[in-house]
Amino acid sequence: MYTDGIIFDVDGTLWDSTGLVAKAWTKAVSECGYPDRIVTSDELKGLFGKTMAVIARCLLPDATEETREKIMTKCCIYEHQVLEENETDICYPQVRQVIRKLCMGHRLFIVSNCQSGYIELFLKKAGLGDCITDIECYGNTKQGKAENMRMLVERNGLKAPVYIGDTQGDCDASREAGVPFVYASYGFGEVTDCAASINGMQDLFSMFQDPEQKAKDKLLTDTEFKREG
């Protein structure tokens, strides 16, 4: 698959923060008058990928918009605190290694429906800030993933981008933006219609390997085969 820009989702694709976020959000919701509302990791896995406004409506359907906005503001504050303090590696296997190698021959990007600062926090905790060319998110633009993807593609002059995500919402947004979708099957959701799929980050090496490097690798493999023969 040829591409001049690989765009990543975050949650369910690069890391799984739901266990930490669930505790932070439960604390925030309780302090805002809902002490019996326990937010769970599994619940968040079904919601992450949606915009913050949609998530708030799903979590607190009976609350007013003003109350939801207040609660989600506190949720985001506590979420950033707990993620900043966390010392456990919550990245999926090989994320750092794959991204560091891919960025040598490809421009890499991130588009997420998260709040402002979340992508930056991921990059800081993962130590990958120098590998990513550009980012965009709902918190910055108040736009959905499809529109943010279109904006990022346009301002970076991408002609053959791909988007890597893990939910049907990611797939739908990619289709709306006119960007081929690669399904990360190890993530949070299930997708039935995609351009390609991966079972782990390491699968991206064979999918997006530079043609010149692929030819070199084949030559080395052929040489080894002849030597053994």
PDB file of all heavy atoms in Angstrom, residues 38-73:
ATOM      1  N   ILE A  38     -20.505   4.950  38.620  1.00  0.00           N
ATOM      2  CA  ILE A  38     -19.167   4.370  38.458  1.00  0.00           C
ATOM      3  C   ILE A  38     -18.862   4.229  36.972  1.00  0.00           C
ATOM      4  O   ILE A  38     -19.577   3.518  36.248  1.00  0.00           O
ATOM      5  CB  ILE A  38     -19.062   2.994  39.144  1.00  0.00           C
ATOM      6  CG1 ILE A  38     -19.507   3.074  40.607  1.00  0.00           C
ATOM      7  CG2 ILE A  38     -17.636   2.458  39.031  1.00  0.00           C
ATOM      8  CD1 ILE A  38     -18.700   4.024  41.453  1.00  0.00           C
ATOM      9  N   VAL A  39     -17.836   4.899  36.509  1.00  0.00           N
ATOM     10  CA  VAL A  39     -17.397   4.792  35.117  1.00  0.00           C
ATOM     11  C   VAL A  39     -16.416   3.633  35.016  1.00  0.00           C
ATOM     12  O   VAL A  39     -15.464   3.556  35.792  1.00  0.00           O
ATOM     13  CB  VAL A  39     -16.738   6.091  34.638  1.00  0.00           C
ATOM     14  CG1 VAL A  39     -16.326   5.965  33.169  1.00  0.00           C
ATOM     15  CG2 VAL A  39     -17.682   7.279  34.835  1.00  0.00           C
ATOM     16  N   THR A  40     -16.641   2.725  34.075  1.00  0.00           N
ATOM     17  CA  THR A  40     -15.792   1.542  33.955  1.00  0.00           C
ATOM     18  C   THR A  40     -14.924   1.599  32.692  1.00  0.00           C
ATOM     19  O   THR A  40     -15.245   2.293  31.725  1.00  0.00           O
ATOM     20  CB  THR A  40     -16.627   0.258  33.911  1.00  0.00           C
ATOM     21  OG1 THR A  40     -17.379   0.215  32.677  1.00  0.00           O
ATOM     22  CG2 THR A  40     -17.595   0.196  35.093  1.00  0.00           C
ATOM     23  N   SER A  41     -13.878   0.810  32.724  1.00  0.00           N
ATOM     24  CA  SER A  41     -12.978   0.712  31.573  1.00  0.00           C
ATOM     25  C   SER A  41     -13.709   0.172  30.349  1.00  0.00           C
ATOM     26  O   SER A  41     -13.563   0.702  29.239  1.00  0.00           O
ATOM     27  CB  SER A  41     -11.792  -0.195  31.924  1.00  0.00           C
ATOM     28  OG  SER A  41     -10.986  -0.433  30.792  1.00  0.00           O
ATOM     29  N   ASP A  42     -14.520  -0.883  30.545  1.00  0.00           N
ATOM     30  CA  ASP A  42     -15.253  -1.461  29.415  1.00  0.00           C
ATOM     31  C   ASP A  42     -16.238  -0.467  28.818  1.00  0.00           C
ATOM     32  O   ASP A  42     -16.448  -0.435  27.599  1.00  0.00           O
ATOM     33  CB  ASP A  42     -16.000  -2.724  29.861  1.00  0.00           C
ATOM     34  CG  ASP A  42     -15.062  -3.900  30.097  1.00  0.00           C
ATOM     35  OD1 ASP A  42     -13.935  -3.871  29.577  1.00  0.00           O
ATOM     36  OD2 ASP A  42     -15.468  -4.848  30.801  1.00  0.00           O
ATOM     37  N   GLU A  43     -16.845   0.332  29.678  1.00  0.00           N
ATOM     38  CA  GLU A  43     -17.774   1.351  29.203  1.00  0.00           C
ATOM     39  C   GLU A  43     -17.061   2.360  28.313  1.00  0.00           C
ATOM     40  O   GLU A  43     -17.549   2.728  27.243  1.00  0.00           O
ATOM     41  CB  GLU A  43     -18.408   2.052  30.404  1.00  0.00           C
ATOM     42  CG  GLU A  43     -19.472   3.071  30.064  1.00  0.00           C
ATOM     43  CD  GLU A  43     -20.116   3.673  31.299  1.00  0.00           C
ATOM     44  OE1 GLU A  43     -19.498   3.609  32.384  1.00  0.00           O
ATOM     45  OE2 GLU A  43     -21.227   4.216  31.174  1.00  0.00           O
ATOM     46  N   LEU A  44     -15.889   2.788  28.738  1.00  0.00           N
ATOM     47  CA  LEU A  44     -15.129   3.770  27.973  1.00  0.00           C
ATOM     48  C   LEU A  44     -14.637   3.205  26.650  1.00  0.00           C
ATOM     49  O   LEU A  44     -14.540   3.930  25.652  1.00  0.00           O
ATOM     50  CB  LEU A  44     -13.952   4.280  28.799  1.00  0.00           C
ATOM     51  CG  LEU A  44     -14.308   5.148  30.014  1.00  0.00           C
ATOM     52  CD1 LEU A  44     -13.042   5.594  30.737  1.00  0.00           C
ATOM     53  CD2 LEU A  44     -15.141   6.348  29.606  1.00  0.00           C
ATOM     54  N   LYS A  45     -14.337   1.918  26.616  1.00  0.00           N
ATOM     55  CA  LYS A  45     -13.890   1.307  25.361  1.00  0.00           C
ATOM     56  C   LYS A  45     -14.973   1.377  24.294  1.00  0.00           C
ATOM     57  O   LYS A  45     -14.674   1.405  23.101  1.00  0.00           O
ATOM     58  CB  LYS A  45     -13.473  -0.150  25.604  1.00  0.00           C
ATOM     59  CG  LYS A  45     -12.150  -0.278  26.342  1.00  0.00           C
ATOM     60  CD  LYS A  45     -11.789  -1.736  26.603  1.00  0.00           C
ATOM     61  CE  LYS A  45     -10.459  -1.828  27.349  1.00  0.00           C
ATOM     62  NZ  LYS A  45     -10.082  -3.218  27.657  1.00  0.00           N
ATOM     63  N   GLY A  46     -16.235   1.396  24.742  1.00  0.00           N
ATOM     64  CA  GLY A  46     -17.338   1.520  23.797  1.00  0.00           C
ATOM     65  C   GLY A  46     -17.643   2.958  23.423  1.00  0.00           C
ATOM     66  O   GLY A  46     -18.397   3.215  22.478  1.00  0.00           O
ATOM     67  N   LEU A  47     -17.064   3.914  24.162  1.00  0.00           N
ATOM     68  CA  LEU A  47     -17.341   5.330  23.930  1.00  0.00           C
ATOM     69  C   LEU A  47     -16.176   6.080  23.308  1.00  0.00           C
ATOM     70  O   LEU A  47     -16.385   7.039  22.564  1.00  0.00           O
ATOM     71  CB  LEU A  47     -17.712   6.009  25.258  1.00  0.00           C
ATOM     72  CG  LEU A  47     -19.021   5.569  25.906  1.00  0.00           C
ATOM     73  CD1 LEU A  47     -19.180   6.211  27.279  1.00  0.00           C
ATOM     74  CD2 LEU A  47     -20.205   5.928  25.021  1.00  0.00           C
ATOM     75  N   PHE A  48     -14.953   5.659  23.631  1.00  0.00           N
ATOM     76  CA  PHE A  48     -13.787   6.356  23.083  1.00  0.00           C
ATOM     77  C   PHE A  48     -13.825   6.287  21.553  1.00  0.00           C
ATOM     78  O   PHE A  48     -14.130   5.259  20.971  1.00  0.00           O
ATOM     79  CB  PHE A  48     -12.503   5.723  23.600  1.00  0.00           C
ATOM     80  CG  PHE A  48     -12.055   6.293  24.930  1.00  0.00           C
ATOM     81  CD1 PHE A  48     -12.892   7.076  25.691  1.00  0.00           C
ATOM     82  CD2 PHE A  48     -10.790   6.036  25.423  1.00  0.00           C
ATOM     83  CE1 PHE A  48     -12.488   7.599  26.903  1.00  0.00           C
ATOM     84  CE2 PHE A  48     -10.365   6.548  26.645  1.00  0.00           C
ATOM     85  CZ  PHE A  48     -11.219   7.338  27.385  1.00  0.00           C
ATOM     86  N   GLY A  49     -13.493   7.385  20.956  1.00  0.00           N
ATOM     87  CA  GLY A  49     -13.602   7.500  19.497  1.00  0.00           C
ATOM     88  C   GLY A  49     -14.727   8.433  19.125  1.00  0.00           C
ATOM     89  O   GLY A  49     -14.742   9.006  18.039  1.00  0.00           O
ATOM     90  N   LYS A  50     -15.696   8.616  20.024  1.00  0.00           N
ATOM     91  CA  LYS A  50     -16.754   9.591  19.827  1.00  0.00           C
ATOM     92  C   LYS A  50     -16.264  10.943  20.346  1.00  0.00           C
ATOM     93  O   LYS A  50     -15.284  11.027  21.074  1.00  0.00           O
ATOM     94  CB  LYS A  50     -18.021   9.162  20.579  1.00  0.00           C
ATOM     95  CG  LYS A  50     -18.529   7.773  20.221  1.00  0.00           C
ATOM     96  CD  LYS A  50     -19.771   7.422  21.010  1.00  0.00           C
ATOM     97  CE  LYS A  50     -20.202   5.964  20.801  1.00  0.00           C
ATOM     98  NZ  LYS A  50     -20.501   5.678  19.391  1.00  0.00           N
ATOM     99  N   THR A  51     -16.954  12.016  19.983  1.00  0.00           N
ATOM    100  CA  THR A  51     -16.572  13.327  20.482  1.00  0.00           C
ATOM    101  C   THR A  51     -16.904  13.429  21.968  1.00  0.00           C
ATOM    102  O   THR A  51     -17.738  12.689  22.489  1.00  0.00           O
ATOM    103  CB  THR A  51     -17.302  14.450  19.727  1.00  0.00           C
ATOM    104  OG1 THR A  51     -18.710  14.348  19.970  1.00  0.00           O
ATOM    105  CG2 THR A  51     -17.037  14.366  18.226  1.00  0.00           C
ATOM    106  N   MET A  52     -16.276  14.373  22.657  1.00  0.00           N
ATOM    107  CA  MET A  52     -16.497  14.521  24.087  1.00  0.00           C
ATOM    108  C   MET A  52     -17.951  14.851  24.399  1.00  0.00           C
ATOM    109  O   MET A  52     -18.495  14.411  25.414  1.00  0.00           O
ATOM    110  CB  MET A  52     -15.583  15.613  24.639  1.00  0.00           C
ATOM    111  CG  MET A  52     -14.099  15.307  24.490  1.00  0.00           C
ATOM    112  SD  MET A  52     -13.592  13.793  25.333  1.00  0.00           S
ATOM    113  CE  MET A  52     -13.683  14.313  27.048  1.00  0.00           C
ATOM    114  N   ALA A  53     -18.606  15.620  23.536  1.00  0.00           N
ATOM    115  CA  ALA A  53     -20.007  15.977  23.762  1.00  0.00           C
ATOM    116  C   ALA A  53     -20.902  14.743  23.710  1.00  0.00           C
ATOM    117  O   ALA A  53     -21.818  14.580  24.526  1.00  0.00           O
ATOM    118  CB  ALA A  53     -20.458  16.999  22.724  1.00  0.00           C
ATOM    119  N   VAL A  54     -20.647  13.865  22.766  1.00  0.00           N
ATOM    120  CA  VAL A  54     -21.432  12.629  22.645  1.00  0.00           C
ATOM    121  C   VAL A  54     -21.171  11.720  23.838  1.00  0.00           C
ATOM    122  O   VAL A  54     -22.097  11.120  24.399  1.00  0.00           O
ATOM    123  CB  VAL A  54     -21.101  11.901  21.326  1.00  0.00           C
ATOM    124  CG1 VAL A  54     -21.767  10.532  21.286  1.00  0.00           C
ATOM    125  CG2 VAL A  54     -21.546  12.745  20.138  1.00  0.00           C
ATOM    126  N   ILE A  55     -19.916  11.607  24.252  1.00  0.00           N
ATOM    127  CA  ILE A  55     -19.575  10.780  25.406  1.00  0.00           C
ATOM    128  C   ILE A  55     -20.301  11.282  26.652  1.00  0.00           C
ATOM    129  O   ILE A  55     -20.847  10.493  27.436  1.00  0.00           O
ATOM    130  CB  ILE A  55     -18.050  10.781  25.646  1.00  0.00           C
ATOM    131  CG1 ILE A  55     -17.339  10.022  24.510  1.00  0.00           C
ATOM    132  CG2 ILE A  55     -17.713  10.147  26.992  1.00  0.00           C
ATOM    133  CD1 ILE A  55     -15.832  10.089  24.585  1.00  0.00           C
ATOM    134  N   ALA A  56     -20.339  12.596  26.832  1.00  0.00           N
ATOM    135  CA  ALA A  56     -21.006  13.180  28.000  1.00  0.00           C
ATOM    136  C   ALA A  56     -22.490  12.833  28.016  1.00  0.00           C
ATOM    137  O   ALA A  56     -23.055  12.511  29.069  1.00  0.00           O
ATOM    138  CB  ALA A  56     -20.820  14.697  28.008  1.00  0.00           C
ATOM    139  N   ARG A  57     -23.137  12.883  26.851  1.00  0.00           N
ATOM    140  CA  ARG A  57     -24.560  12.544  26.778  1.00  0.00           C
ATOM    141  C   ARG A  57     -24.798  11.074  27.092  1.00  0.00           C
ATOM    142  O   ARG A  57     -25.794  10.716  27.719  1.00  0.00           O
ATOM    143  CB  ARG A  57     -25.124  12.886  25.396  1.00  0.00           C
ATOM    144  CG  ARG A  57     -25.285  14.374  25.151  1.00  0.00           C
ATOM    145  CD  ARG A  57     -26.201  14.650  23.967  1.00  0.00           C
ATOM    146  NE  ARG A  57     -25.625  14.181  22.710  1.00  0.00           N
ATOM    147  CZ  ARG A  57     -24.830  14.918  21.938  1.00  0.00           C
ATOM    148  NH1 ARG A  57     -24.504  16.148  22.319  1.00  0.00           N
ATOM    149  NH2 ARG A  57     -24.361  14.439  20.810  1.00  0.00           N
ATOM    150  N   CYS A  58     -23.876  10.219  26.664  1.00  0.00           N
ATOM    151  CA  CYS A  58     -24.016   8.781  26.927  1.00  0.00           C
ATOM    152  C   CYS A  58     -23.801   8.467  28.411  1.00  0.00           C
ATOM    153  O   CYS A  58     -24.498   7.621  28.977  1.00  0.00           O
ATOM    154  CB  CYS A  58     -23.019   7.997  26.087  1.00  0.00           C
ATOM    155  SG  CYS A  58     -23.361   8.018  24.311  1.00  0.00           S
ATOM    156  N   LEU A  59     -22.846   9.132  29.021  1.00  0.00           N
ATOM    157  CA  LEU A  59     -22.535   8.873  30.427  1.00  0.00           C
ATOM    158  C   LEU A  59     -23.608   9.418  31.364  1.00  0.00           C
ATOM    159  O   LEU A  59     -23.947   8.790  32.374  1.00  0.00           O
ATOM    160  CB  LEU A  59     -21.185   9.488  30.791  1.00  0.00           C
ATOM    161  CG  LEU A  59     -19.932   8.826  30.233  1.00  0.00           C
ATOM    162  CD1 LEU A  59     -18.701   9.638  30.619  1.00  0.00           C
ATOM    163  CD2 LEU A  59     -19.799   7.393  30.743  1.00  0.00           C
ATOM    164  N   LEU A  60     -24.134  10.599  31.043  1.00  0.00           N
ATOM    165  CA  LEU A  60     -25.075  11.279  31.932  1.00  0.00           C
ATOM    166  C   LEU A  60     -26.281  11.766  31.129  1.00  0.00           C
ATOM    167  O   LEU A  60     -26.483  12.976  30.917  1.00  0.00           O
ATOM    168  CB  LEU A  60     -24.391  12.449  32.626  1.00  0.00           C
ATOM    169  CG  LEU A  60     -23.181  12.079  33.494  1.00  0.00           C
ATOM    170  CD1 LEU A  60     -22.360  13.320  33.806  1.00  0.00           C
ATOM    171  CD2 LEU A  60     -23.639  11.392  34.779  1.00  0.00           C
ATOM    172  N   PRO A  61     -27.123  10.850  30.665  1.00  0.00           N
ATOM    173  CA  PRO A  61     -28.245  11.227  29.797  1.00  0.00           C
ATOM    174  C   PRO A  61     -29.272  12.138  30.462  1.00  0.00           C
ATOM    175  O   PRO A  61     -29.983  12.873  29.772  1.00  0.00           O
ATOM    176  CB  PRO A  61     -28.859   9.876  29.423  1.00  0.00           C
ATOM    177  CG  PRO A  61     -28.451   8.955  30.516  1.00  0.00           C
ATOM    178  CD  PRO A  61     -27.073   9.405  30.907  1.00  0.00           C
ATOM    179  N   ASP A  62     -29.378  12.092  31.786  1.00  0.00           N
ATOM    180  CA  ASP A  62     -30.381  12.894  32.488  1.00  0.00           C
ATOM    181  C   ASP A  62     -29.871  14.269  32.910  1.00  0.00           C
ATOM    182  O   ASP A  62     -30.650  15.103  33.384  1.00  0.00           O
ATOM    183  CB  ASP A  62     -30.873  12.147  33.742  1.00  0.00           C
ATOM    184  CG  ASP A  62     -31.546  10.823  33.403  1.00  0.00           C
ATOM    185  OD1 ASP A  62     -32.167  10.756  32.321  1.00  0.00           O
ATOM    186  OD2 ASP A  62     -31.454   9.883  34.201  1.00  0.00           O
ATOM    187  N   ALA A  63     -28.599  14.520  32.770  1.00  0.00           N
ATOM    188  CA  ALA A  63     -28.018  15.802  33.179  1.00  0.00           C
ATOM    189  C   ALA A  63     -28.258  16.868  32.112  1.00  0.00           C
ATOM    190  O   ALA A  63     -28.448  16.563  30.934  1.00  0.00           O
ATOM    191  CB  ALA A  63     -26.524  15.639  33.436  1.00  0.00           C
ATOM    192  N   THR A  64     -28.220  18.122  32.515  1.00  0.00           N
ATOM    193  CA  THR A  64     -28.348  19.225  31.566  1.00  0.00           C
ATOM    194  C   THR A  64     -27.037  19.396  30.812  1.00  0.00           C
ATOM    195  O   THR A  64     -25.984  18.922  31.248  1.00  0.00           O
ATOM    196  CB  THR A  64     -28.688  20.533  32.297  1.00  0.00           C
ATOM    197  OG1 THR A  64     -27.586  20.897  33.148  1.00  0.00           O
ATOM    198  CG2 THR A  64     -29.952  20.371  33.143  1.00  0.00           C
ATOM    199  N   GLU A  65     -27.098  20.097  29.692  1.00  0.00           N
ATOM    200  CA  GLU A  65     -25.889  20.346  28.911  1.00  0.00           C
ATOM    201  C   GLU A  65     -24.871  21.118  29.741  1.00  0.00           C
ATOM    202  O   GLU A  65     -23.669  20.856  29.668  1.00  0.00           O
ATOM    203  CB  GLU A  65     -26.242  21.127  27.642  1.00  0.00           C
ATOM    204  CG  GLU A  65     -26.960  20.317  26.581  1.00  0.00           C
ATOM    205  CD  GLU A  65     -26.098  19.209  25.999  1.00  0.00           C
ATOM    206  OE1 GLU A  65     -24.860  19.368  26.001  1.00  0.00           O
ATOM    207  OE2 GLU A  65     -26.651  18.192  25.552  1.00  0.00           O
ATOM    208  N   GLU A  66     -25.350  22.068  30.537  1.00  0.00           N
ATOM    209  CA  GLU A  66     -24.453  22.859  31.375  1.00  0.00           C
ATOM    210  C   GLU A  66     -23.746  21.981  32.398  1.00  0.00           C
ATOM    211  O   GLU A  66     -22.534  22.120  32.623  1.00  0.00           O
ATOM    212  CB  GLU A  66     -25.245  23.949  32.092  1.00  0.00           C
ATOM    213  CG  GLU A  66     -24.380  24.873  32.944  1.00  0.00           C
ATOM    214  CD  GLU A  66     -25.194  25.954  33.631  1.00  0.00           C
ATOM    215  OE1 GLU A  66     -26.426  26.004  33.422  1.00  0.00           O
ATOM    216  OE2 GLU A  66     -24.586  26.758  34.371  1.00  0.00           O
ATOM    217  N   THR A  67     -24.508  21.052  33.010  1.00  0.00           N
ATOM    218  CA  THR A  67     -23.922  20.142  33.995  1.00  0.00           C
ATOM    219  C   THR A  67     -22.918  19.208  33.346  1.00  0.00           C
ATOM    220  O   THR A  67     -21.834  18.967  33.877  1.00  0.00           O
ATOM    221  CB  THR A  67     -25.019  19.318  34.691  1.00  0.00           C
ATOM    222  OG1 THR A  67     -25.910  20.215  35.379  1.00  0.00           O
ATOM    223  CG2 THR A  67     -24.423  18.339  35.693  1.00  0.00           C
ATOM    224  N   ARG A  68     -23.271  18.687  32.174  1.00  0.00           N
ATOM    225  CA  ARG A  68     -22.357  17.785  31.458  1.00  0.00           C
ATOM    226  C   ARG A  68     -21.055  18.497  31.126  1.00  0.00           C
ATOM    227  O   ARG A  68     -19.972  17.921  31.266  1.00  0.00           O
ATOM    228  CB  ARG A  68     -23.010  17.285  30.170  1.00  0.00           C
ATOM    229  CG  ARG A  68     -24.150  16.304  30.357  1.00  0.00           C
ATOM    230  CD  ARG A  68     -24.545  15.714  29.025  1.00  0.00           C
ATOM    231  NE  ARG A  68     -25.852  15.083  29.098  1.00  0.00           N
ATOM    232  CZ  ARG A  68     -26.906  15.429  28.363  1.00  0.00           C
ATOM    233  NH1 ARG A  68     -26.807  16.426  27.490  1.00  0.00           N
ATOM    234  NH2 ARG A  68     -28.050  14.794  28.493  1.00  0.00           N
ATOM    235  N   GLU A  69     -21.155  19.730  30.663  1.00  0.00           N
ATOM    236  CA  GLU A  69     -19.953  20.484  30.307  1.00  0.00           C
ATOM    237  C   GLU A  69     -19.057  20.684  31.528  1.00  0.00           C
ATOM    238  O   GLU A  69     -17.834  20.527  31.452  1.00  0.00           O
ATOM    239  CB  GLU A  69     -20.346  21.835  29.717  1.00  0.00           C
ATOM    240  CG  GLU A  69     -19.165  22.637  29.210  1.00  0.00           C
ATOM    241  CD  GLU A  69     -19.580  23.917  28.523  1.00  0.00           C
ATOM    242  OE1 GLU A  69     -20.776  24.073  28.212  1.00  0.00           O
ATOM    243  OE2 GLU A  69     -18.699  24.782  28.281  1.00  0.00           O
ATOM    244  N   LYS A  70     -19.676  21.001  32.662  1.00  0.00           N
ATOM    245  CA  LYS A  70     -18.927  21.192  33.901  1.00  0.00           C
ATOM    246  C   LYS A  70     -18.236  19.902  34.327  1.00  0.00           C
ATOM    247  O   LYS A  70     -17.054  19.895  34.706  1.00  0.00           O
ATOM    248  CB  LYS A  70     -19.872  21.664  35.004  1.00  0.00           C
ATOM    249  CG  LYS A  70     -19.221  21.785  36.370  1.00  0.00           C
ATOM    250  CD  LYS A  70     -20.250  22.179  37.423  1.00  0.00           C
ATOM    251  CE  LYS A  70     -19.631  22.199  38.820  1.00  0.00           C
ATOM    252  NZ  LYS A  70     -20.633  22.533  39.864  1.00  0.00           N
ATOM    253  N   ILE A  71     -18.988  18.788  34.248  1.00  0.00           N
ATOM    254  CA  ILE A  71     -18.439  17.495  34.660  1.00  0.00           C
ATOM    255  C   ILE A  71     -17.306  17.066  33.741  1.00  0.00           C
ATOM    256  O   ILE A  71     -16.255  16.596  34.198  1.00  0.00           O
ATOM    257  CB  ILE A  71     -19.545  16.427  34.706  1.00  0.00           C
ATOM    258  CG1 ILE A  71     -20.525  16.743  35.843  1.00  0.00           C
ATOM    259  CG2 ILE A  71     -18.955  15.025  34.885  1.00  0.00           C
ATOM    260  CD1 ILE A  71     -21.736  15.827  35.882  1.00  0.00           C
ATOM    261  N   MET A  72     -17.491  17.221  32.428  1.00  0.00           N
ATOM    262  CA  MET A  72     -16.458  16.784  31.491  1.00  0.00           C
ATOM    263  C   MET A  72     -15.194  17.630  31.620  1.00  0.00           C
ATOM    264  O   MET A  72     -14.087  17.127  31.420  1.00  0.00           O
ATOM    265  CB  MET A  72     -16.987  16.838  30.053  1.00  0.00           C
ATOM    266  CG  MET A  72     -18.071  15.810  29.749  1.00  0.00           C
ATOM    267  SD  MET A  72     -17.622  14.113  30.222  1.00  0.00           S
ATOM    268  CE  MET A  72     -16.271  13.778  29.099  1.00  0.00           C
ATOM    269  N   THR A  73     -15.351  18.889  31.973  1.00  0.00           N
ATOM    270  CA  THR A  73     -14.173  19.732  32.215  1.00  0.00           C
ATOM    271  C   THR A  73     -13.356  19.166  33.370  1.00  0.00           C
ATOM    272  O   THR A  73     -12.127  19.053  33.287  1.00  0.00           O
ATOM    273  CB  THR A  73     -14.587  21.182  32.519  1.00  0.00           C
ATOM    274  OG1 THR A  73     -15.252  21.730  31.377  1.00  0.00           O
ATOM    275  CG2 THR A  73     -13.373  22.033  32.858  1.00  0.00           C
TER     276      THR A  73
END
